[in-house]
Amino acid sequence: MRKGLLITFEGGDGSGKSTQLSLLKEYLIQKGIKILTLREPGGVAISEKIRKIILDNKNTEMSPVTEMLLYAASRAQLVSQVIKPSLEKGITVICDRFVDSSYVYQGLARGLGIDTVKLVNDIATEYILPDITFFMDIAPELALKRRFNASIPDRLENENISFHRDVYMGYLKLTELYPERIKRINGEIGINAAFSSIKKYIDDLLCRYIK
């Protein structure tokens, strides 16, 4: 049986990841493709419990290393319990965040280094990488404004603006490091226009994948 695809969305909170993920889900379902959507951190019971610890505004003393390890632990459980078995069954998985978030948030913005984060997460992911990743490119100031208007900010969202700018610059660096996998999508041109760009990449991926 042909293995499923792993498609991920990345970007700052409020960048439009969830909206585009939902649109892509419906688009692929219409093509007759079996789809599973997930979020990180979370997705399964154990990972959701870890998510609460990571994002709790009371946990302001959390060290960058602790943060990295908690994200990796949540990811390891999700990969083992859901992602890997689903891909092996031919189900395409669309995930709101994956390992690139750790490269950016802990590796670059927290200063632990991509190599350190990669070493830990290679174990957590069992070396599984996305087939394609969409980085929703939107100015951090605008993304945060959108996010704060939607709900109460969590621990990471409450970081100062310089941290969020570092996260944004980190994503730009990743697009340079992994241009074949990470596709930069302008998140400020409107929902439909952004999704049109995503569809083009997906249609090309499906054509190559089907072959």
Side-chain angles (χ1 to χ4, degrees):
M1 181 181 292
R2 184 186 299 274
K3 290 186 178 181
L5 294 168
L6 177 57
I7 302 168
T8 59
F9 281 85
E10 294 284 353
D13 292 303
S15 61
K17 296 182 284 78
S18 299
T19 298
Q20 295 299 327
L21 186 153
S22 296
L23 291 173
L24 181 58
K25 174 184 176 181
E26 294 305 316
Y27 181 68
L28 293 177
I29 287 175
Q30 291 173 8
K31 289 181 172 292
I33 298 173
K34 293 181 179 180
I35 300 295
L36 175 65
T37 58
L38 299 167
R39 72 170 182 178
E40 275 211 337
V44 293
I46 292 174
S47 300
E48 289 291 337
K49 290 178 181 178
I50 297 173
R51 177 188 180 90
K52 291 180 181 179
I53 297 172
I54 294 172
L55 301 182
D56 191 336
N57 280 307
K58 296 178 182 179
N59 294 332
T60 56
E61 295 180 351
M62 185 180 297
S63 79
V65 172
T66 300
E67 189 177 270
M68 174 188 67
L69 293 174
L70 285 172
Y71 271 108
S74 173
R75 184 167 297 127
Q77 186 64 32
L78 186 62
V79 167
S80 174
Q81 189 174 338
V82 178
I83 293 179
K84 186 177 180 181
S86 296
L87 295 177
E88 290 174 347
K89 292 176 183 176
I91 299 171
T92 286
V93 176
I94 310 176
C95 198
D96 186 343
R97 298 195 181 282
F98 196 58
V99 68
D100 294 303
S101 284
S102 287
Y103 293 159
V104 169
Y105 280 79
Q106 288 80 53
L108 297 174
R110 296 293 194 205
L112 296 181
I114 289 180
D115 289 343
T116 297
V117 175
K118 185 177 185 303
L119 180 64
V120 171
N121 278 273
D122 280 348
I123 299 170
T125 62
E126 301 183 41
Y127 295 92
I128 292 174
L129 280 174
D131 294 282
I132 191 167
T133 297
F134 296 109
F135 161 52
M136 299 305 299
D137 184 357
I138 178 173
E141 293 83 359
L142 177 57
L144 286 174
K145 183 178 180 180
R146 289 181 181 178
R147 186 68 184 88
F148 290 174
N149 287 336
S151 64
I152 298 173
D154 60 39
R155 184 178 66 86
L156 267 73
E157 292 165 347
N158 270 324
E159 289 282 357
N160 59 47
I161 190 60
S162 64
F163 174 79
H164 292 287
R165 287 171 180 155
D166 287 343
V167 166
Y168 177 75
M169 295 306 296
Y171 275 119
L172 294 182
K173 181 174 181 178
L174 283 195
T175 62
E176 296 176 357
L177 291 174
Y178 308 109
E180 294 302 313
R181 177 173 65 82
I182 303 178
K183 307 304 179 184
R184 188 175 174 183
I185 305 295
N186 189 335
E188 299 183 28
I189 59 175
I191 293 173
N192 292 333
F195 187 58
S196 179
S197 297
I198 290 171
K199 281 196 297 186
K200 290 177 182 178
Y201 284 118
I202 288 295
D203 288 341
D204 178 64
L205 176 63
L206 291 176
C207 286
R208 290 186 282 113
Y209 185 67
I210 290 172
K211 290 178 181 180

